Amino acid sequence: MGNGVQEGSVRLREDAEPVLSGAASAKRDHRQVLSSLLSGALAGALAKTAVAPLDRTKIIFQVSSKRFSAKEAFRLLYFTYLNEGFLSLWRGNSATMVRVIPYAAIQFSAHEEYKRVLGHYYGFRGEALPPWPRLLAGALAGTTAASLTYPLDLVRARMAVTPKEMYGNIFHVFIRISREEGLKTLYFGFIPTVLGVIPYAGLSFFTYESLKSLHREYSGRPQPYPFERMVFGACAGLIGQSASYPLDVVRRRMQTAGVTGHQHGSILSTLRSIVREEGAVRGLYKGLSMNWLKGPIAVGISFTTFDLMQILLRRLQS
């Protein structure tokens, strides 16, 4: 598989931009956007489904004052399985898919467009972007996707931390929040989300693209093998999630305040409350060790799936 993908990649460089006529260029751009949307949607769906039980467990700890440990996390997984069944470990995953599929599709597609626009602006058309534009492209892509899909993220968090009797389905969550807490609640926690997405998406895409560029330079091969992409993606996820994790805890607290007994508050008041009650390190980095397990797996799967799907679709189109 590696050789086949590599040979196809030699002919179809990911950052290659041949000069075409206006009509042909517009048609090619349209195909590229559709290809990026489809590849991103599949990448996000596979990655999130693979780590859904760990993600749900992490959210439960994030929004409670319960102390996190690996032992307690796996105990929670085990008792959830015993009391509610195996499929309950994926509770909220349908809401996750409703959010992740458009989020990942938009993020990956936006990243490709931002790379192209910044490449033209800085005069690097058809070449790898230099570091700062590379970081900016990732941050802008993450911000674009988060802004367009945020209410779905809040719904997914609510479903993850509540018993199934409280919310029957995704639409039920929207209806109850609108009636009982007001429509503005659907964007509660949006600011810390964007503040967290900027370093997370920026560093993730930057790290992954940088590692691929270094690989090209030192290996002499135009494209890495799939397992190498997985490793590059894992490194990207580790760095990105570690940098943005405290804001992830704050946004989860704000998103679920209406159902966990915490008061609705601002970013600063929520931050102070967490530090006061649980301490800076234990409170703001609660569940980070689980993120170090699930994050690299998810991001590795996501980046690898996107790249391989892009290569496959380009070969089919040619």
Side-chain angles (χ1 to χ4, degrees):
M1 179 182 174
N3 292 335
V5 169
Q6 197 175 359
E7 289 167 7
S9 305
V10 171
R11 294 191 298 271
L12 294 163
R13 282 286 302 276
E14 290 177 6
D15 51 7
E17 288 198 21
V19 178
L20 301 172
S21 66
S25 178
K27 187 176 181 181
R28 182 209 59 186
D29 289 346
H30 182 65
R31 283 180 177 176
Q32 284 182 346
V33 170
L34 289 177
S35 172
S36 296
L37 286 170
L38 177 60
S39 301
L42 181 61
L46 287 178
K48 277 297 185 182
T49 300
V51 298
L54 296 177
D55 206 29
R56 180 174 185 258
T57 303
K58 181 203 73 172
I59 293 174
I60 290 172
F61 276 98
Q62 281 183 329
V63 302
S64 72
S65 56
K66 193 183 300 181
R67 186 174 175 180
F68 176 85
S69 70
K71 182 179 178 181
E72 287 299 318
F74 285 104
R75 180 179 292 176
L76 176 61
L77 282 169
Y78 179 66
F79 280 109
T80 301
Y81 162 69
L82 285 182
N83 296 329
E84 301 180 44
F86 180 72
L87 292 179
S88 67
L89 296 174
W90 275 265
R91 173 162 168 73
N93 196 49
S94 57
T96 300
M97 289 300 101
V98 170
R99 169 193 169 262
V100 160
I101 288 174
Y103 180 91
I106 293 167
Q107 180 174 241
F108 277 108
S109 182
H111 182 247
E112 293 299 304
E113 289 303 302
Y114 285 130
K115 279 199 305 182
R116 184 176 62 82
V117 170
L118 290 171
H120 288 179
Y121 182 80
Y122 286 100
F124 286 89
R125 181 169 181 171
E127 302 174 30
L129 288 174
W132 280 112
R134 195 180 302 163
L135 185 67
L136 180 60
L140 288 172
T143 303
T144 301
S147 299
L148 294 174
T149 62
Y150 183 77
L152 295 170
D153 185 43
L154 183 140
V155 167
R156 170 246 182 169
R158 287 288 181 97
M159 290 190 74
V161 301
T162 55
K164 56 187 176 183
E165 294 79 16
M166 185 167 184
Y167 295 124
N169 53 50
I170 298 167
F171 300 107
H172 190 204
V173 184
F174 275 111
I175 292 168
R176 283 198 59 175
I177 289 176
S178 301
R179 286 178 179 172
E180 298 172 11
E181 301 174 56
L183 283 172
K184 67 179 182 179
T185 304
L186 291 173
Y187 270 88
F188 210 71
F190 175 69
I191 299 300
T193 297
V194 171
L195 292 177
V197 158
I198 290 171
Y200 170 66
L203 286 170
S204 295
F205 278 108
F206 171 81
T207 303
Y208 185 68
E209 294 288 327
S210 297
L211 289 173
K212 286 201 300 182
S213 182
L214 288 170
H215 173 274
R216 222 170 14 242
E217 183 179 343
Y218 289 103
S219 72
R221 288 186 281 120
Q223 296 296 332
Y225 294 125
F227 78 89
E228 291 172 324
R229 294 181 191 273
M230 284 285 291
V231 173
F232 298 162
C235 292
L238 194 64
I239 292 170
Q241 291 189 340
S242 297
S244 62
Y245 196 78
L247 284 165
D248 190 43
V249 175
V250 171
R251 81 178 169 114
R252 291 300 183 205
R253 246 349 135 79
M254 294 177 73
Q255 285 177 337
T256 59
V259 293
T260 57
H262 295 101
Q263 288 188 340
H264 286 296
S266 65
I267 298 172
L268 288 177
S269 65
T270 304
L271 194 63
R272 281 196 296 265
S273 174
I274 293 170
V275 172
R276 184 176 61 250
E277 294 173 11
E278 303 169 54
V281 176
R282 286 181 181 171
L284 294 176
Y285 288 90
K286 181 190 292 184
L288 179 59
S289 57
M290 179 164 284
N291 243 36
W292 284 342
L293 173 63
K294 80 171 189 67
I297 295 172
V299 179
I301 291 172
S302 182
F303 278 127
T304 302
T305 303
F306 177 79
D307 277 357
L308 296 182
M309 275 294 293
Q310 285 284 86
I311 292 168
L312 175 62
L313 290 173
R314 286 172 182 171
R315 293 185 68 182
L316 291 174
Q317 287 172 7
S318 67

